[in-house]
Amino acid sequence: MTDIIRMTAADLAAKLDSREVSSVEATEAYLDRIAQVDGDVHAFLHVDNDGALSVAASVDDRRGKGEDLHPLAGMPIAIKDIVATKGLPTTCGSKILSGWIPPYDATIISRIRAAGLPILGKTNMDEFAMGSSTEHSAYGPTRNPWDLDRIPGGSGGGSAAAVAAYEAPLAVGTDTGGSIRQPGSMTGTVGVKPTYGGVSRYGLVAMASSLDQAGPVTRTVLDAALLHELIGGHDPLDSTSLDAPVPAVVAAARKADVKGLKIGVVKELGGEGFQAGVSERFNEAVELLTRAGAEVVEVSCPSFDYALAAYYLVMPSEVSSNLAKFDAMRYGVRVGPDGVASPDAEQVMAASRDAGFGDEVKRRIILGTYALSSGYYDAYYGSAQKVRTLIARDFAAAFDKADVLVSPTSPTTAFPLGDKLDDPLAMYLQDVATIPANLAGVPGLSLPVGLAAEDGLPVGFQFLAPAKADDRLYNAAAALEALLEDKWGGALLGQAPILEGAR
Ligand code: GLN
């Protein structure tokens, strides 16, 4: 039998269902793998051996009794540490939340638990999801399983690295400007940001509420679809949740046919500034789609040139207000100012926020507070909101010409740890191609399409679709995945050194 941890989630689900593999066996296999490699990778901030095994045992028991179970029942899963999990630490990669144990579950966690998926643990991330490398975690960086001296992307580097290093078959991430898709691109995994409102935000610690969206991190397109259908759908506890059925993403992933599909290559999201090996793999994938019968056109979205600037006004503005609640009065770290015998509340708040937040978080709070201040509000926040409207219009016009849009997910492959830490703007540029989707609320998916010639590291290919048409992403991506399998002989992930079983 193939090694349990090497199976796709879809295959493992079938084996669990037929009782060829028990959930306890699968969960133990993944926990063993975590024990074996996570000292190097550091994908997890917290591993819940006992909790995961007890859920696994109870699912096995229910299956033994012939109960009707969810198709993913018994499948282990890893969760980004920004999602509230009752009884399990949730730190958001920040010191300010060290030791916090949420008293409630996020809606997606309630759904995951109700379906009987053992939660392996919580994954590392940039503090409060701010970053593109996971180096802004207060608990130390995650390393890329392809090369331990390189970043795994961010902010959800932990979820992506866990899936890439076979420490979990499925993971949940969140994407405010690219934090699911860019780590997917860096680690050779599939990452999906669903339509805004498609997956409940209840119980996700908010970064920028009008942009945040949770979604799947997996090794195949079908696996992502299976997880998407489980966590997606209306939630009365989230007022921005869409009151619409989850698009039929599993059926779309199984259909995988691009004949006659109109694919728009976005002129502004490629070319200059993109690494040669990234562009090469991207163009080759477009060529494969063309040969498979897709109709490829070039589309122009001129306002996308301003997306990054608009994002770095809208996002910090929302950050500054969302993070105001970490005031040391309600939860989290509380310290007093040095040398003050009886400090007042404001002094305690200031000292606690100073001690609890890292530099990148502080930078954004300051930027956001400034952008929202009276006198500057119209000039900065107001202008950014107008750009946001223009970006949505560009998308609408492009989707008149094409069913899906495509671009490289990120301009580069994974860079060395430390490379961009002193240069925030270079770090921000990682997300030039992913941010427009968040600003407009449309769904996006990153698919690994091979390795860059110059460094042998994974390259991600991004599909974008109109709001509520997430199924189009899965159909097109599954088709490209199948075409690439012919070309690369599948097992792209198997080529990474730490994944070879060399250890
Ligand atoms: N890298 C982007 C940022 O730093 C996006 C982060 C995210 O999607 N959470 O804001």
Side-chain angles (χ1 to χ4, degrees), residues 419-431:
D419 210 36
K420 299 193 198 300
L421 259 187
D422 298 329
D423 188 352
L425 286 184
M427 189 78 92
Y428 299 169
L429 276 168
Q430 280 290 304
D431 295 307

Side-chain angles (χ1 to χ4, degrees), residues 17 59 62-71 73 114-115:
D17 185 52
V59 169
R62 288 166 56 200
R63 205 182 307 268
K65 291 186 186 132
E67 277 184 39
D68 198 13
L69 299 175
H70 187 277

Side-chain angles (χ1 to χ4, degrees), residues 184-433:
S185 177
M186 300 291 126
T187 58
T189 52
V190 176
V192 185
K193 183 201 90 72
T195 297
Y196 182 76
V199 175
S200 168
R201 287 188 301 109
Y202 177 77
L204 308 193
V205 180
M207 175 183 167
S209 312
S210 75
L211 305 162
D212 297 344
Q213 192 54 206
V217 178
T218 60
R219 292 192 287 263
T220 71
V221 175
L222 178 58
D223 289 357
L226 291 166
L227 181 54
H228 190 143
E229 285 202 352
L230 169 60
I231 60 176
H234 182 61
D235 176 14
L237 297 177
D238 171 3
S239 60
T240 59
S241 159
L242 286 172
D243 198 357
V246 188
V249 293
V250 172
R254 293 209 159 104
K255 182 168 149 252
D257 180 10
V258 289
K259 212 160 280 154
L261 189 77
K262 276 202 183 147
I263 297 183
V265 176
V266 185
K267 187 169 138 234
E268 288 76 10
L269 303 181
E272 209 191 320
F274 283 65
Q275 189 180 317
V278 168
S279 302
E280 197 185 336
R281 287 283 94 85
F282 173 74
N283 292 332
E284 188 181 83
V286 170
E287 184 56 40
L288 283 176
L289 289 165
T290 313
R291 270 190 266 141
E295 193 185 316
V296 177
V297 293
E298 189 183 79
V299 298
S300 174
C301 298
S303 307
F304 285 13
D305 287 346
Y306 307 102
L308 199 65
Y311 174 82
Y312 276 94
L313 285 167
V314 171
M315 174 273 296
S317 297
E318 296 188 20
V319 160
S320 73
S321 86
N322 274 328
L323 269 57
K325 63 178 166 281
F326 300 104
D327 56 7
M329 298 296 130
R330 280 162 277 205
Y331 37 55
V333 162
R334 179 186 295 174
V335 299
D338 283 344
V340 183
S342 32
D344 62 29
E346 212 156 294
Q347 287 170 312
V348 172
M349 286 181 200
S352 302
R353 285 166 70 82
D354 185 34
F357 288 139
D359 287 349
E360 183 60 29
V361 172
K362 286 177 186 157
R363 184 179 359 252
R364 297 191 192 199
I365 291 173
I366 292 167
L367 199 67
T369 310
Y370 182 78
L372 290 179
S373 57
S374 69
Y376 292 107
Y377 182 92
D378 285 337
Y380 293 124
Y381 186 76
S383 306
Q385 289 292 36
K386 286 180 191 151
V387 172
R388 205 169 171 175
T389 303
L390 294 178
I391 286 168
R393 283 189 197 153
D394 276 2
F395 267 118
F399 286 128
D400 275 344
K401 299 194 191 93
D403 303 309
V404 293
L405 304 180
V406 297
S407 77
T409 306
S410 180
T412 69
T413 55
F415 47 88
L417 285 157
D419 210 36
K420 299 193 198 300
L421 259 187
D422 298 329
D423 188 352
L425 286 184
M427 189 78 92
Y428 299 169
L429 276 168
Q430 280 290 304
D431 295 307
V432 281

